[in-house]
Amino acid sequence: MPTSRRALAAAAAIAVLLPLSACGSGGDDSASTDASGKIEGNITFQTWNLRANFKPYFDGLVKDFEKKYPGTHVKWIDQPGEGYADKISADAAGGTLPDVVNVSPDLVAPLAKAGLALDLDKAAPKYGKEYLPGAWASHQIPGMDGTYAFPWYLNTGPLFYNKTLFRKAGLDDSKPPKTYDALFTDALQLAKKSKGKVATLANVPTIEDFGRYGAPLMNKQGTGFAFNDAKGVELLTKYKELYDAKALDPQALTATPESTGKKFLTGAVAMNPGSALDLQKFKKDAPSLYKNIGITDQITSTGKVNMYVMGVMVNSRTKQKPAAVAFAHYVTDAQHQMEFAKKVAIFPSTAGSLDDPYFTQQDGSDETRVRIAAADSLKNAVNYTPVLFSEQMKNELRNSVAKALQGKESPKTALDNAVKACDRLLQQQG
């Protein structure tokens, strides 16, 4: 579940501009942020492709909430993963948006701009301290004040590395690179020692890499992108050096998770992101690799790794604000996030939850090794992908990076062009 949901969240974007006059299911045109009052009434709760695997969990969650708050009734709706963004967009424009909605940050942005997402900093400020700071901030919109969804579950991925390849290159296999500077140094040495046969990486830099390197991604007003500054140009220049030295896999421009996984499996690539499922595959298909697998954090020069986050938004137009806010908080509080995390490989966004023994104590299993490594890195992680960065923008950046790596444009020109294209798309969003 986490991998597919994570990929889907990254790809989803509401394509049409929602009219500011759009009205949610409640029809409360004032869209007041006042969520005080008695917790009662009927509300709808919409999730994103969760019914098939987790129906008993959510049935129990709803039942327990209704028991805790007599006089409430929650109707649970689950939508398929495909077309979810379009469904939300249509409901928002048509005034049929559910009271409580499972969202990712990129889905919140247009709803918040349209006045359809409740500002929790005004409606429920007391809850902010219950969550990890980076998670609470993940549903904030550049250029707008406020937080527009409760953070729900998190995900991230540790980095695997091949200790044998590190040793052969004369590197200390107990000290994998942690920063980009260390990564670039080690990658060039691996390529040189292997005469270009071993690349360290198999993926071109994404917007998250620019963030982890320390480049500003947007201006503070949220009106334009900024990853073409000196820091961003420096990162792409370094990647160009890796590409020319074959320290970056020659096929990185067209890489997929499947293709990079195969290259890591065969020893053509020294480092690759992965999961517990990958470890199990290595154990079965490549036992010699499995015995020499190292697990480390994502590369970052900011000290903070990237997180993927899901959220629970309250429709600002709901007629039952007290109940809707109470239920959204109930779904995402520490107790219920912990219960959900033990049913599926995700991580709670609530403060202190990652210190639970479930995320800190080894039991010798591959699943636990990966879970503990990921949980530790999430405590101060941030969502580097700007909430306004659409799939089209990702394509523009990807194409510009390719031109720079191939020598068709300088890194500076390539990033300047990418920023211009992304700014143009941003203006089209409104």
Side-chain angles (χ1 to χ4, degrees):
M1 171 193 157
T3 301
S4 60
R5 288 296 301 275
R6 189 172 76 186
L8 187 58
I14 296 181
V16 299
L17 175 64
L18 299 176
L20 288 175
S21 60
C23 169
S25 60
D28 174 12
D29 292 329
S30 67
S32 165
T33 57
D34 182 9
S36 62
K38 187 175 182 181
I39 298 172
E40 60 183 0
N42 300 335
I43 60 173
T44 52
F45 168 49
Q46 179 172 287
T47 52
W48 184 354
N49 196 29
L50 294 175
R51 184 180 293 272
N53 294 321
F54 306 105
K55 186 177 185 299
Y57 172 79
F58 286 101
D59 283 343
L61 190 73
V62 167
K63 183 179 179 181
D64 290 345
F65 178 80
E66 293 174 344
K67 183 178 179 180
K68 181 176 182 179
Y69 297 103
T72 61
H73 176 72
V74 180
K75 180 181 180 182
W76 173 37
I77 306 166
D78 187 68
Q79 300 290 349
E82 180 133 8
Y84 188 71
D86 293 335
K87 172 63 175 171
I88 288 181
S89 180
D91 283 345
T96 56
L97 194 67
D99 301 288
V100 181
V101 188
N102 177 192
V103 290
S104 55
D106 55 322
L107 297 182
V108 167
L111 295 170
K113 285 187 173 185
L116 296 177
L118 186 66
D119 180 0
L120 300 177
D121 286 341
K122 292 181 178 177
K126 64 182 179 180
Y127 294 130
K129 63 182 180 296
E130 294 182 18
Y131 302 86
L132 295 169
W136 185 256
S138 65
H139 293 91
Q140 295 171 352
I141 316 300
M144 296 180 66
D145 292 329
T147 301
Y148 293 93
F150 285 100
W152 195 6
Y153 57 85
L154 310 176
N155 220 326
T156 191
L159 202 59
F160 291 149
Y161 66 99
N162 187 321
K163 291 184 176 181
T164 300
L165 295 179
F166 271 65
R167 287 195 298 269
K168 286 183 177 179
L171 297 171
D172 187 342
D173 67 1
S174 68
K175 295 180 180 179
K178 301 283 188 181
T179 66
Y180 281 93
D181 287 345
L183 172 69
F184 297 144
T185 299
D186 288 357
L188 290 172
Q189 183 167 330
L190 274 156
K192 183 178 180 180
K193 290 286 186 178
S194 67
K195 297 181 179 179
K197 292 182 180 179
V198 176
T200 297
L201 301 176
N203 295 290
V204 299
T206 63
I207 193 69
E208 292 91 349
D209 286 293
F210 285 91
R212 289 192 303 245
Y213 192 66
L217 303 182
M218 293 194 80
N219 61 33
K220 291 182 179 180
Q221 297 75 31
T223 57
F225 291 94
F227 53 82
N228 61 334
D229 85 324
K231 202 75 175 171
V233 173
E234 183 178 276
L235 176 68
L236 188 50
T237 301
K238 292 287 188 181
Y239 264 87
K240 170 64 173 165
E241 292 176 17
L242 297 188
Y243 188 73
D244 290 344
K246 295 186 178 179
L248 176 64
D249 186 76
Q251 295 176 319
L253 300 178
T254 57
T256 65
E258 292 76 20
S259 67
T260 59
K262 288 179 181 178
K263 286 182 178 290
F264 184 74
L265 189 70
T266 59
V269 171
M271 303 188 81
N272 202 52
S275 68
L277 294 177
D278 293 304
L279 276 182
Q280 292 166 17
K281 180 178 176 61
F282 301 152
K283 189 174 185 178
K284 177 183 177 183
D285 298 340
S288 60
L289 171 64
Y290 176 77
K291 292 177 183 176
N292 287 281
I293 284 289
I295 302 176
T296 188
D297 291 341
Q298 297 173 21
I299 303 296
T300 175
S301 295
T302 65
K304 296 181 179 182
V305 304
N306 185 59
M307 71 165 69
Y308 300 90
V309 57
M310 277 288 170
V312 177
M313 184 199 88
V314 175
N315 179 356
S316 66
R317 312 295 174 121
T318 177
K319 289 180 179 178
Q320 307 294 349
K321 280 191 180 65
V325 169
F327 184 73
H329 173 253
Y330 191 78
V331 171
T332 62
D333 69 17
Q335 176 188 338
H336 296 105
Q337 286 211 48
M338 198 68 202
E339 289 175 2
F340 196 41
K342 290 184 177 181
K343 294 181 179 297
V344 62
I346 49 89
F347 301 87
S349 62
T350 40
S353 295
L354 295 175
D355 293 322
D356 187 274
Y358 183 70
F359 296 114
T360 59
Q361 292 184 3
Q362 297 281 2
D363 61 9
S365 71
D366 292 335
E367 183 178 11
T368 301
R369 288 175 66 195
V370 174
R371 181 170 67 240
I372 289 175
D376 185 61
S377 70
L378 276 170
K379 291 177 183 178
N380 68 345
V382 297
N383 178 23
Y384 283 109
T385 304
V387 297
L388 302 175
F389 202 67
S390 69
E391 190 65 18
Q392 286 177 291
M393 295 172 188
K394 292 172 189 174
N395 289 334
E396 291 289 351
L397 177 58
R398 193 179 301 119
N399 292 338
S400 291
V401 165
K403 289 178 182 177
L405 296 180
Q406 293 170 326
K408 296 178 180 179
E409 293 179 353
S410 71
K412 179 73 167 73
T413 298
L415 290 181
D416 284 346
N417 289 337
V419 165
K420 288 178 184 176
C422 291
D423 284 349
R424 190 164 53 246
L425 290 167
L426 183 64
Q427 291 171 2
Q428 291 172 9
Q429 289 180 2

